[in-house]
Amino acid sequence: MLHLLQFLFLCLELSWIVHQCDAGHPTKPAQYQQLPSLREQASIEQAWRAERIAGIPALLRKYNVDAWLMIQREHAEDTIWWSIKNATAFDSHRRTVVLFHTNSSTTTGLSNPIVWVDNTDQVWPELRSTFEEHDFSRIVLNTDRNIAFAGGLHVGEYETLAEELGEMWMKRTVNEPMLAIEYVATRLDGYLPYYRKMQETVWAMLEEGFSHRVVRPGITSTEDLSWWFREKIQERNLTTWNQPRISVLVEDSYPGWEGTDDVIQEGDILHIDFGITAMGLNTDTQHMAYVLRTDQDLPEASAPQSLKDGLKKANRMQDIVLSNMKPGVTGNQVLQQSLDQMRSEGIEGQIFCHPIGDWGHDAGAVIGFLNLPEYVPVVGELPLFPNTYYSIELYAYHFVEERNETIRFRIEENAHWNKDTQSWQFVRGRQEKYHLIDKRKTFAGSLLVQSP
Ligand SMILES: *[C@@H]1O[C@H](CO)[C@@H](O)[C@H](O)[C@H]1NC(C)=O
Ligand SMILES: *[C@@H]1O[C@H](CO)[C@@H](O)[C@H](O)[C@H]1NC(C)=O
Ligand SMILES: *[C@@H]1O[C@H](CO)[C@@H](O)[C@H](O)[C@H]1NC(C)=O
Ligand SMILES: *[C@@H]1O[C@H](CO)[C@@H](O)[C@H](O)[C@H]1NC(C)=O
């Protein structure tokens, strides 16, 4: 007992141990977290933006280029626009030209970036004279054919630019996808406290949504529950980047983008894939729930053992992937090492992890794809950057004796880069126990949802 108390005490007191505690299933129910007012959020986001773009000159030097040019029209923004815009900007205006350069001298009064907002073609002579003055020799344009973050220059803008700059300058333009990838993928220390709040809110929604408070077996459908999550996100003044997808898991089916449309019954294994968006950050989580059977001689008090074993296998896969994730190695290397290790431990399953941050599917190395389980061209060949967040997404196959079925145990949690331990760690632990829907539990103020 003393040991337990000491351990709990240490968990509370020492931040490095708190990180260790983050490795497992959170011990306390999640509480909905309040984010600052929109006005305060904007000022925080604006400070983050300043910190991020202040790093661009050094990034240009790292990739041995002199300038980074983005040209876009309102409603046809470059992908990078969303990662450099002011907090209160919702679009680019007219034609917006943004030029980052390596000259961060503050004495000259030269801003970085130089921004033109124009609809008169006045920008072109000014842009040419800026080029002449600085004699840039390598100018990055976002023209990559494979990587969205480095390929956001619209073709009409490219053609206009080529005409206006002429051959001499166009010969000095280069495609350097790693610049955009590293810029977008890099997370700031200041994000983490807010990201933790977002993750706790995600768990609070999961714990509420997958309870008898919301789900009535035999009445509520997966589709009803999916819309409950949408409304809940709205009620919490958050948004999302994808439709919450809820499925009843059965053998031989992979309800991916659609979820299923079933009336939820006792004995069902439920699965959700959903995320929220706030303050320029995104989450992506998959959890599983079990609907207890109350209609038998010995009503269930927990999920059947085989389901617990299946989840444990998926947890083991998470450990394997995290242990193989090292900065500098490629996504495909992490994938191969993890698959080898799984095989040596007799685990079958699939891995498909991705960076997360400015976007739900963010810039950087991908570790497997659902349709490319062993090797991913291009984005699998990228190196992992530290200071990125990763969504550890995977499933383990496990035979469920009670059902005579092999089920995919699908889970996903978000991990951040921990500078102290030099490793990726889950932001708010991970699912090791099922959310249980128990018909016998009653709640005051039921939030029962029903089909329209
Ligand atoms: C952000 O706002 C400042 C101040 O209004 C402006 O000078 C700058 O050009 C804006 N940045 C972008 C990328 O539009
Ligand atoms: C930065 O730009 C200013 C103004 O064009 C120029 O005078 C200065 O020499 C530049 N500094 C560097 C380090 O290139
Ligand atoms: C959402 O925003 C509205 C309007 O500002 C506010 O009244 C409400 O309390 C907020 N809800 C939550 C859960 O924060
Ligand atoms: C289990 O499923 C397999 C394949 O679907 C079937 O051949 C077998 O008869 C089933 N076993 C039982 C005990 O139902």
Side-chain angles (χ1 to χ4, degrees):
M1 196 55 183
L2 185 64
H3 286 90
L4 181 66
L5 283 175
Q6 276 174 337
F7 176 70
L8 289 174
F9 178 75
L10 281 170
C11 280
L12 290 171
E13 290 301 307
L14 297 172
S15 71
W16 70 270
I17 297 219
V18 167
H19 290 309
Q20 303 305 303
C21 295
D22 281 354
H25 196 106
T27 47
K28 283 200 214 140
Q31 304 291 322
Y32 284 105
Q33 298 292 305
Q34 204 69 37
L35 293 175
S37 69
L38 290 179
R39 189 173 185 171
E40 230 176 299
Q41 286 185 26
S43 97
I44 294 165
E45 287 172 50
Q46 192 65 3
W48 289 343
R49 170 192 181 268
E51 190 179 341
R52 290 180 86 182
I53 68 173
I56 290 182
L59 212 50
L60 296 179
R61 287 191 287 271
K62 175 175 174 180
Y63 290 105
N64 191 30
V65 294
D66 304 306
W68 190 10
L69 181 65
M70 280 151 242
I71 296 184
Q72 60 238 300
R73 280 159 300 161
E74 185 173 354
H75 307 318
E77 287 79 9
D78 189 301
T79 316
I80 294 297
W81 166 261
W82 305 107
S83 299
I84 60 165
K85 73 175 193 66
N86 285 313
T88 52
F90 287 85
D91 291 291
S92 68
H93 287 164
R94 298 173 188 161
R95 168 174 280 132
T96 297
V97 176
V98 182
L99 178 68
F100 287 99
H101 50 84
T102 54
N103 187 333
S104 35
S105 157
T106 48
T107 52
T108 60
L110 187 68
S111 67
N112 199 355
I114 307 171
V115 178
W116 289 265
V117 178
D118 179 54
N119 58 2
T120 65
D121 284 349
Q122 183 57 32
V123 59
W124 304 121
E126 291 184 19
L127 186 62
R128 283 193 297 266
S129 78
T130 305
F131 279 18
E132 276 150 24
E133 189 182 338
H134 296 276
D135 196 24
F136 298 130
S137 54
R138 283 165 58 78
I139 305 155
V140 177
L141 294 182
N142 294 329
T143 55
D144 196 80
R145 291 183 179 210
N146 296 304
I147 310 236
F149 307 95
L153 177 58
H154 287 238
V155 69
E157 290 300 271
Y158 178 83
E159 287 170 359
T160 306
L161 182 73
E163 277 170 24
E164 294 293 345
L165 287 184
E167 208 187 319
M168 196 271 265
W169 288 114
M170 287 310 283
K171 274 190 177 154
R172 297 191 187 187
T173 63
V174 295
N175 171 29
E176 180 41 86
M178 293 313 288
L179 173 65
I181 292 169
E182 185 164 351
Y183 175 70
V184 175
T186 304
R187 306 262 68 82
L188 305 173
D189 293 344
Y191 289 140
L192 192 57
Y194 297 95
Y195 204 54
R196 284 197 196 284
K197 280 178 188 279
M198 288 170 65
Q199 293 288 349
E200 184 160 358
T201 293
V202 163
W203 279 70
M205 282 181 196
L206 290 164
E207 286 166 14
E208 185 180 1
F210 287 110
S211 75
H212 187 56
R213 207 168 159 186
V214 175
V215 176
R216 293 295 152 92
I219 300 171
T220 310
S221 71
T222 47
E223 191 68 6
D224 295 335
L225 189 53
S226 160
W227 287 104
W228 179 89
F229 273 91
R230 280 292 302 277
E231 296 289 352
K232 193 60 163 184
I233 290 167
Q234 168 122 319
E235 183 192 308
R236 299 304 313 179
N237 296 327
L238 303 162
T239 59
T240 184
W241 61 282
N242 64 32
Q243 176 74 5
R245 294 183 296 267
I246 295 164
S247 313
V248 173
L249 294 187
V250 291
E251 189 170 50
D252 290 337
S253 83
Y254 190 89
W257 304 111
E258 297 299 328
T260 61
D261 192 9
D262 294 291
V263 172
I264 296 168
Q265 306 291 353
E266 293 200 344
D268 279 351
I269 308 170
L270 302 178
H271 171 266
I272 185 171
D273 187 350
F274 96 113
I276 61 170
T277 302
M279 299 182 76
L281 292 166
N282 296 278
T283 72
D284 196 2
T285 307
Q286 293 180 44
H287 275 198
M288 294 175 66
Y290 179 69
V291 192
L292 294 174
R293 288 185 185 281
T294 61
D295 54 355
Q296 45 195 30
D297 294 345
L298 202 60
E300 288 173 325
S302 70
Q305 188 57 41
S306 60
L307 298 195
K308 293 179 184 165
D309 294 342
L311 182 55
K312 202 166 273 177
K313 244 183 212 176
N315 285 149
R316 176 64 196 144
M317 284 176 64
Q318 291 174 318
D319 293 337
I320 291 172
V321 173
L322 286 180
S323 73
N324 285 313
M325 285 174 65
K326 303 271 184 284
V329 305
T330 68
N332 284 327
Q333 284 169 326
V334 177
L335 180 62
Q336 261 323 312
Q337 285 161 9
S338 303
L339 291 173
D340 289 349
Q341 202 171 331
M342 278 164 56
R343 279 163 195 151
S344 76
E345 296 183 18
I347 300 174
E348 271 184 73
Q350 212 187 310
I351 297 166
F352 35 107
C353 310
H354 56 84
I356 186 161
D358 288 8
W359 304 88
H361 293 159
D362 206 51
V366 160
I367 306 166
F369 255 119
L370 210 47
N371 65 327
L372 300 168
E374 300 271 340
Y375 174 87
V376 179
V378 188
V379 282
E381 286 298 284
L382 299 174
L384 273 70
F385 283 115
N387 303 321
T388 58
Y389 292 174
Y390 262 90
S391 206
I392 308 301
E393 183 174 6
L394 47 80
Y395 64 74
Y397 284 110
H398 186 69
F399 178 68
V400 178
E401 211 177 323
E402 296 87 335
R403 305 168 62 123
N404 190 26
E405 281 183 338
T406 297
I407 300 282
R408 291 175 172 94
F409 288 78
R410 301 164 59 186
I411 50 176
E412 177 173 22
E413 304 284 357
N414 301 148
H416 70 99
W417 173 251
N418 183 329
K419 280 185 179 148
D420 299 335
T421 60
Q422 293 285 298
S423 62
W424 276 272
Q425 281 173 348
F426 293 124
V427 178
R428 186 187 158 75
R430 68 171 177 199
Q431 183 179 30
E432 292 180 354
K433 289 183 273 189
Y434 286 85
H435 301 288
L436 295 175
I437 294 162
D438 184 348
K439 194 167 100 179
R440 292 157 300 182
K441 285 201 176 152
T442 52
F443 291 88
S446 163
L447 300 172
L448 175 65
V449 286
Q450 261 175 321
S451 300

